[in-house]
Amino acid sequence: MESNYLKRSNRIYLRKVFRIKTIFYPVVLILIKTGIASRIEKSINRVIKFFGIRKNFHYFIKYIDYGNWFKDKFRQDDKKYEGEILFPAMTGVHSNFTLLNLLFARYFNERKNLLPVFYICDSAFDICTKDGMVKSRKKYFWFCHECYKGYRYIEKMTGIDVERMRDKLKEYKDELVYERRKIECLTSLRECEDYEYDGIKIGLLARKSVKRYFLAGRLEASDEVLQVYREFIFSGVAYGIAFKRTINERKNIRYVILNNGSLVFEAIAREYCKRNGIPYITYETYIGNNSLIYKKNGPVMDLDWSDEYKVFLKKFNMDDDCKRKVKQFFENLRNGVEMYAVLNSEHSEDFLAGTGRYACLFTNLNYDTAVIDKNYLFADMEDWIYRVIEYWKKNLPDLKLIIRVHPGEIKLVTATREYLGDKIKKAVADDKNIIVVDSTDKVSSYELIKSMEYGLIYSSTIGLEIAWSGKTCIVAGLPWFRHKPFVIYPETVEDYFNYLEKLNNNTLDFSPDIEELYRTVYFVYYHRLKRLQGIKLYTPDEGPNTIYSNSDDMINNNLTFFEEFSNELFSAE
């Protein structure tokens, strides 16, 4: 009973948040417009806490902070620029990425002589990537207003140039009506996936956003899924029309900066950038509230810097200080230092008593953009899990299989639609040779790694930790380190299960290449990953973003980061 409650609790909590927001948002607007909000913020937070909401009222006035920090910084009407840099924004005005985009905008404006242009959605689409299973405009009346209205304040205060997507669609009503009719005729997942517009596979690009909407690793055809899929396709078509028109009209756009780059709208923007020869960078937070990673001319969440790694190695020397940092990285992972959340702090000491020999399979969060559609050998992560279970039942190896369901299913505040532990338990049934450790169980993954014979992963970074422990890790999906010599990466399904047989029979001689692991971890987590000083990009409780009171200090204290970012953007291919 406790396990079921824990699994439902996050979903119940988020629904409560949106019910309360729906009721009180008009009051919030009055408090903000009258200027009262900032004076009674602490009192409001006490009321929010009374209702059991783990949020901060400051979320609703972040855009005011942003406007004030950059007041009049973009009013240079008589200045001649060398080009424009475009910032498409689909994350909403309160997003921490709005602050980051303003910082980028000011840096490139003042130091690189580029005119920054914010490109925003002003309720232009029927559905967007902020919509989800719980938090959708269908359930929250103020959804779009909360997302975009504050941009008018930022525009007024800062003088930044703002383009609105709705304006770009006015002349295309007939074409949109025609496309909508075609899209409404799509009656299967395959038809949705195959949908193209203007030579872009929008149906395929939208699939990841649909999975993200449902927080699911695989899609099962239903009226609800197909309707949401069609809505995302149509919104993708509209976004493509608006974006194409924008870059055609603004002939001086030289660069584009995109958040994430994996979901449907940013993926479409990437396609048009490639067509028009416009360099772009995608960026995302990664590990910790002040962390950032970015990728030129590609989706950053692929975590693929293979070309950059080759250049890096030519000058890199793995000295004792670098090794110390790598060791510290793994120690931080274990203890949750500089991470989003501590997920493995609890462990029942007697859990492994009498287990004997075992291998351990680690699942992913199936709604993470770093995981969605990262399929290679198997149809998806669930297909892999069920086939491994089937193999274990059929072949009855001498060691047990422990399946560790990702603890983030309940420890991270998400409206998880499906709980893998429940589905896996049904597949395992009463098999005594397979043990399921659910997301609610007080079992540490690190303790499992310590005593296991080898590990099985799909696309999880825990593969790095398995290799670091000196254990064999066999990969089934597409993690970014799949080709590295510290893991086993089979080329076919047959090879995969042949490896399992050899591992189970102790006939495979494999040792992870620890030196390459050192180099790889240092490159990704100390060279590619950047830490901003005094600025938070991940604030789950919606607290203040920065220790600074103005944008000058924010940029000056992070000047090295901005210079590295711009050097990469401007670099020749």
Side-chain angles (χ1 to χ4, degrees):
M1 292 294 291
E2 181 186 6
S3 173
N4 289 334
Y5 171 74
L6 286 171
K7 288 182 176 180
R8 296 196 311 271
S9 61
N10 285 351
R11 192 182 303 171
I12 293 169
Y13 167 72
L14 289 172
R15 282 176 175 157
K16 180 170 71 172
V17 169
F18 279 91
R19 281 198 299 270
I20 292 173
K21 284 176 70 175
T22 301
I23 295 169
F24 288 102
Y25 193 74
V27 178
V28 170
L29 290 178
I30 293 171
L31 293 174
I32 292 174
K33 287 184 178 294
T34 57
I36 298 173
S38 59
R39 297 199 295 272
I40 63 171
E41 187 176 338
K42 291 182 179 179
S43 298
I44 297 172
N45 283 331
R46 284 196 288 269
V47 174
I48 292 172
K49 188 175 181 181
F50 174 80
F51 281 104
I53 305 299
R54 303 185 298 275
K55 295 289 185 180
N56 192 310
F57 180 78
H58 202 81
Y59 167 80
F60 292 106
I61 55 177
K62 277 188 172 184
Y63 73 90
I64 296 176
D65 287 344
Y66 302 159
N68 292 339
W69 288 333
F70 293 85
K71 185 178 180 180
D72 296 328
K73 297 301 182 184
F74 302 103
R75 301 190 197 282
Q76 302 175 42
D77 297 334
D78 58 345
K79 186 175 179 179
K80 294 190 180 299
Y81 296 98
E82 295 180 13
E84 298 177 349
I85 183 166
L86 188 69
F87 296 87
M90 295 296 294
T91 53
V93 69
H94 300 296
S95 168
N96 297 333
F97 293 127
T98 301
L99 169 61
L100 185 61
N101 282 342
L102 282 165
L103 287 167
F104 281 136
R106 186 165 178 217
Y107 174 84
F108 284 109
N109 180 234
E110 294 189 349
R111 296 174 184 263
K112 303 299 177 182
N113 200 32
L114 292 170
L115 174 68
V117 180
F118 270 28
Y119 180 58
I120 68 164
C121 171
D122 51 345
S123 189
F125 310 119
D126 295 339
I127 197 169
C128 73
T129 46
K130 284 180 67 65
D131 281 275
M133 184 180 66
V134 170
K135 56 173 188 178
S136 74
R137 66 194 67 196
K138 295 172 184 175
K139 299 173 183 175
Y140 178 44
F141 178 76
W142 300 98
F143 188 94
C144 288
H145 183 280
E146 181 186 317
C147 182
Y148 80 87
K149 275 294 184 178
Y151 278 111
R152 293 197 180 277
Y153 180 84
I154 290 177
E155 182 181 17
K156 178 182 176 181
M157 289 293 290
T158 70
I160 197 163
D161 195 345
V162 176
E163 288 269 18
R164 291 173 171 78
M165 297 182 192
R166 187 179 287 275
D167 293 340
K168 302 299 178 184
L169 297 172
K170 291 178 181 177
E171 297 177 13
Y172 294 88
K173 290 182 180 179
D174 291 342
E175 184 171 351
L176 287 169
V177 168
Y178 174 73
E179 289 297 323
R180 186 187 287 276
R181 287 174 181 163
K182 286 171 56 181
I183 292 166
E184 287 302 321
C185 293
L186 304 176
T187 58
S188 70
L189 290 175
R190 175 55 62 87
E191 289 177 352
C192 289
E193 289 172 359
D194 291 342
Y195 195 87
E196 292 191 17
Y197 175 80
D198 195 24
I200 294 177
K201 297 179 180 179
I202 288 181
L204 199 59
L205 298 179
R207 183 176 64 189
K208 185 173 285 191
S209 292
V210 179
K211 289 182 177 180
R212 180 72 170 170
Y213 178 97
F214 288 109
L215 300 170
R218 60 164 56 175
L219 296 176
E220 303 288 349
S222 68
D223 290 343
E224 182 185 17
V225 168
L226 289 171
Q227 183 56 36
V228 169
Y229 207 147
R230 288 190 291 261
E231 289 174 4
F232 267 111
I233 291 172
F234 179 71
S235 292
V237 169
Y239 184 93
I241 290 172
F243 191 83
K244 181 179 180 180
R245 181 178 175 185
T246 298
I247 60 178
N248 284 341
E249 289 178 349
R250 302 193 75 120
K251 302 292 186 182
N252 290 324
I253 293 176
R254 298 288 182 264
Y255 307 98
V256 174
I257 308 296
L258 295 163
N259 171 238
N260 193 289
S262 299
L263 299 174
V264 59
F265 302 114
E266 290 77 15
I268 291 169
R270 290 194 290 109
E271 291 295 324
Y272 281 112
C273 285
K274 284 189 281 187
R275 283 188 186 184
N276 290 271
I278 300 173
Y280 65 90
I281 278 185
T282 60
Y283 67 83
E284 184 59 277
T285 56
Y286 191 39
I287 293 181
N289 59 23
N290 67 334
S291 68
L292 195 76
I293 52 174
Y294 51 86
K295 169 71 176 176
K296 181 177 179 181
N297 294 341
V300 66
M301 292 315 295
D302 282 354
L303 304 178
D304 178 15
W305 297 288
S306 49
D307 292 337
E308 292 87 345
Y309 184 60
K310 293 173 185 175
V311 175
F312 168 80
L313 287 182
K314 292 178 179 178
K315 298 180 180 179
F316 178 65
N317 176 41
M318 176 59 76
D319 57 21
D320 289 342
D321 184 59
C322 294
K323 288 189 174 183
R324 179 189 60 78
K325 288 181 178 179
V326 171
K327 291 176 182 177
Q328 188 64 55
F329 166 77
F330 282 108
E331 187 66 25
N332 288 348
L333 277 182
R334 178 180 288 268
N335 297 317
V337 178
E338 293 188 323
M339 307 299 158
Y340 291 142
V342 180
L343 301 179
N344 281 286
S345 59
E346 301 169 308
H347 185 70
S348 301
E349 292 298 331
D350 60 347
F351 172 77
L352 293 173
T355 302
R357 297 173 57 217
Y358 68 89
C360 195
L361 180 153
F362 297 90
T363 74
N364 287 94
L365 290 172
N366 58 12
Y367 50 80
D368 191 336
T369 56
V371 174
I372 294 175
D373 280 352
K374 295 296 177 68
N375 308 312
Y376 176 60
L377 299 176
F378 301 91
D380 51 45
M381 184 176 68
E382 285 187 47
D383 177 47
W384 164 64
I385 293 169
Y386 299 145
R387 292 180 69 171
V388 170
I389 290 172
E390 181 184 350
Y391 169 87
W392 233 264
K393 288 183 174 183
K394 181 180 179 181
N395 292 277
L396 300 173
D398 291 334
L399 72 170
K400 289 183 172 64
L401 174 67
I402 294 180
I403 300 177
R404 180 28 162 159
V405 180
H406 199 295
E409 280 193 356
I410 64 158
K411 290 190 175 181
L412 299 177
V413 181
T414 58
T416 305
R417 182 184 182 88
E418 56 187 13
Y419 297 97
L420 272 178
D422 296 342
K423 302 172 80 171
I424 293 170
K425 286 173 185 175
K426 289 181 181 178
V428 170
D430 58 354
D431 193 296
K432 304 300 183 184
N433 213 29
I434 305 175
I435 302 168
V436 181
V437 179
D438 211 340
S439 55
T440 54
D441 292 332
K442 295 180 179 180
V443 175
S444 168
S445 299
Y446 298 111
E447 294 300 320
L448 294 176
I449 291 173
K450 187 186 298 183
S451 300
M452 73 184 186
E453 297 211 351
Y454 67 91
L456 300 83
I457 70 160
Y458 200 70
S459 190
S460 174
T461 53
I462 203 167
L464 297 174
E465 296 166 88
I466 293 171
W468 180 249
S469 71
K471 302 290 179 71
T472 299
C473 175
I474 181 168
V475 173
L478 292 173
W480 56 269
F481 51 83
R482 58 192 176 274
H483 291 297
K484 296 291 185 176
F486 47 77
V487 296
I488 295 174
Y489 182 56
E491 292 296 328
T492 67
V493 173
E494 183 180 6
D495 286 343
Y496 183 86
F497 287 107
N498 285 339
Y499 275 118
L500 285 192
E501 183 176 357
K502 291 177 181 178
L503 287 165
N504 289 341
N505 295 331
N506 282 325
T507 58
L508 179 68
D509 183 21
F510 176 82
S511 296
D513 186 335
I514 299 300
E515 289 301 312
E516 179 60 17
L517 180 62
Y518 267 117
R519 290 188 291 267
T520 299
V521 168
Y522 186 87
F523 171 73
V524 172
Y525 295 101
Y526 289 95
H527 183 69
R528 291 305 314 186
L529 185 139
K530 310 297 181 182
R531 297 277 182 187
L532 297 175
Q533 303 302 313
I535 299 172
K536 294 180 180 179
L537 295 176
Y538 179 73
T539 54
D541 295 328
E542 305 300 353
N545 287 102
T546 178
I547 63 173
Y548 305 116
S549 59
N550 60 78
S551 58
D552 291 321
D553 289 343
M554 293 182 214
I555 292 176
N556 289 334
N557 284 284
N558 288 279
L559 197 55
T560 298
F561 160 74
F562 287 104
E563 289 173 347
E564 289 175 348
F565 187 95
S566 66
N567 288 341
E568 185 149 335
L569 180 60
F570 295 159
S571 64
E573 291 301 313

PDB file of all heavy atoms in Angstrom, residues 5 138 268 537 555 557:
ATOM      1  N   TYR A   5       1.069   4.277  -2.839  1.00  0.00           N
ATOM      2  CA  TYR A   5       0.863   5.688  -2.516  1.00  0.00           C
ATOM      3  C   TYR A   5       2.037   6.535  -2.979  1.00  0.00           C
ATOM      4  O   TYR A   5       1.864   7.612  -3.543  1.00  0.00           O
ATOM      5  CB  TYR A   5       0.669   5.869  -1.007  1.00  0.00           C
ATOM      6  CG  TYR A   5       0.661   7.324  -0.616  1.00  0.00           C
ATOM      7  CD1 TYR A   5      -0.436   8.137  -0.895  1.00  0.00           C
ATOM      8  CD2 TYR A   5       1.784   7.923  -0.036  1.00  0.00           C
ATOM      9  CE1 TYR A   5      -0.439   9.481  -0.579  1.00  0.00           C
ATOM     10  CE2 TYR A   5       1.795   9.270   0.282  1.00  0.00           C
ATOM     11  CZ  TYR A   5       0.686  10.041   0.010  1.00  0.00           C
ATOM     12  OH  TYR A   5       0.700  11.380   0.299  1.00  0.00           O
ATOM     13  N   LYS A 138      -5.536  22.232 -21.624  1.00  0.00           N
ATOM     14  CA  LYS A 138      -6.916  21.752 -21.513  1.00  0.00           C
ATOM     15  C   LYS A 138      -7.352  21.685 -20.054  1.00  0.00           C
ATOM     16  O   LYS A 138      -8.542  21.703 -19.760  1.00  0.00           O
ATOM     17  CB  LYS A 138      -7.030  20.373 -22.164  1.00  0.00           C
ATOM     18  CG  LYS A 138      -6.769  20.402 -23.668  1.00  0.00           C
ATOM     19  CD  LYS A 138      -6.704  19.008 -24.260  1.00  0.00           C
ATOM     20  CE  LYS A 138      -6.356  19.060 -25.739  1.00  0.00           C
ATOM     21  NZ  LYS A 138      -6.165  17.714 -26.324  1.00  0.00           N
ATOM     22  N   ILE A 268      12.774  21.062 -35.800  1.00  0.00           N
ATOM     23  CA  ILE A 268      12.384  21.698 -37.073  1.00  0.00           C
ATOM     24  C   ILE A 268      13.256  22.918 -37.344  1.00  0.00           C
ATOM     25  O   ILE A 268      13.707  23.132 -38.482  1.00  0.00           O
ATOM     26  CB  ILE A 268      10.892  22.082 -37.036  1.00  0.00           C
ATOM     27  CG1 ILE A 268      10.028  20.818 -37.042  1.00  0.00           C
ATOM     28  CG2 ILE A 268      10.525  22.971 -38.222  1.00  0.00           C
ATOM     29  CD1 ILE A 268       8.562  21.062 -36.749  1.00  0.00           C
ATOM     30  N   LEU A 537      20.591  27.537 -13.151  1.00  0.00           N
ATOM     31  CA  LEU A 537      19.713  27.270 -14.285  1.00  0.00           C
ATOM     32  C   LEU A 537      18.690  26.180 -13.962  1.00  0.00           C
ATOM     33  O   LEU A 537      17.750  25.961 -14.729  1.00  0.00           O
ATOM     34  CB  LEU A 537      20.529  26.848 -15.506  1.00  0.00           C
ATOM     35  CG  LEU A 537      21.458  27.910 -16.063  1.00  0.00           C
ATOM     36  CD1 LEU A 537      22.276  27.349 -17.210  1.00  0.00           C
ATOM     37  CD2 LEU A 537      20.680  29.134 -16.522  1.00  0.00           C
ATOM     38  N   ILE A 555      27.710  38.577 -16.276  1.00  0.00           N
ATOM     39  CA  ILE A 555      28.552  38.313 -17.442  1.00  0.00           C
ATOM     40  C   ILE A 555      30.035  38.384 -17.082  1.00  0.00           C
ATOM     41  O   ILE A 555      30.819  37.502 -17.436  1.00  0.00           O
ATOM     42  CB  ILE A 555      28.225  39.304 -18.573  1.00  0.00           C
ATOM     43  CG1 ILE A 555      26.819  39.015 -19.120  1.00  0.00           C
ATOM     44  CG2 ILE A 555      29.259  39.205 -19.701  1.00  0.00           C
ATOM     45  CD1 ILE A 555      26.347  39.998 -20.168  1.00  0.00           C
ATOM     46  N   ASN A 557      31.561  37.878 -14.340  1.00  0.00           N
ATOM     47  CA  ASN A 557      32.025  36.771 -13.510  1.00  0.00           C
ATOM     48  C   ASN A 557      31.920  35.420 -14.209  1.00  0.00           C
ATOM     49  O   ASN A 557      32.303  34.395 -13.632  1.00  0.00           O
ATOM     50  CB  ASN A 557      31.241  36.741 -12.197  1.00  0.00           C
ATOM     51  CG  ASN A 557      31.699  37.829 -11.235  1.00  0.00           C
ATOM     52  OD1 ASN A 557      32.748  37.722 -10.613  1.00  0.00           O
ATOM     53  ND2 ASN A 557      30.927  38.891 -11.147  1.00  0.00           N
TER      54      ASN A 557
END
